[in-house]
Amino acid sequence: MDGMFRRTKKNEKDRSGQADPRTVTLIGKPGCHLCDDARAVVQQVCAETGALWEEKDIEQDEQLYRAYWEQIPVVLVDGEQHTFWKVDPDRLRRELVS
């Protein structure tokens, strides 16, 4: 995998003994109806699990464009590709709580 994404161990503990929150990254573009659907799922599941989430515009990042253009929307969990095109909320939820 490209070194631009931070890799972490699942539920890595910080110095206080608390697990770091998982981070979900949604890669998409404006005007993409599949991206809109994916965003709704990511927002809901992250709200339920306490995971952080961010969104990146594939049209604003050449590396993301080259890597994922034909797959958008793409969902990464802690920098690793989780899924593309359609986000299954149950599968994402299981990944975030594991």
Side-chain angles (χ1 to χ4, degrees):
M1 168 162 265
D2 190 329
M4 84 184 244
F5 297 110
R6 186 183 120 215
R7 288 185 174 226
T8 58
K9 295 178 184 170
K10 291 181 182 179
N11 294 328
E12 188 174 273
K13 303 245 185 216
D14 67 13
R15 290 185 184 144
S16 69
Q18 297 293 318
D20 287 341
R22 308 296 297 278
T23 301
V24 176
T25 304
L26 173 61
I27 301 169
K29 70 174 191 160
C32 165
H33 73 280
L34 291 175
C35 301
D36 295 339
D37 295 344
R39 182 180 310 103
V41 172
V42 167
Q43 285 177 324
Q44 178 65 39
V45 173
C46 287
E48 292 171 10
T49 63
L52 304 175
W53 79 278
E54 62 185 355
E55 188 166 1
K56 296 190 177 187
D57 182 348
I58 199 166
E59 295 179 326
Q60 302 300 315
D61 186 311
E62 187 63 31
Q63 282 186 297
L64 293 177
Y65 186 91
R66 284 194 308 268
Y68 299 115
W69 177 249
E70 294 181 0
Q71 297 178 352
I72 62 169
V74 176
V75 174
L76 310 176
V77 175
D78 296 331
E80 295 184 36
Q81 188 169 343
H82 173 74
T83 195
F84 61 97
W85 294 338
K86 182 166 175 21
V87 183
D88 179 323
D90 294 328
R91 182 171 175 254
L92 180 58
R93 191 177 294 108
R94 282 192 305 271
E95 175 68 22
L96 294 174
V97 298
S98 67

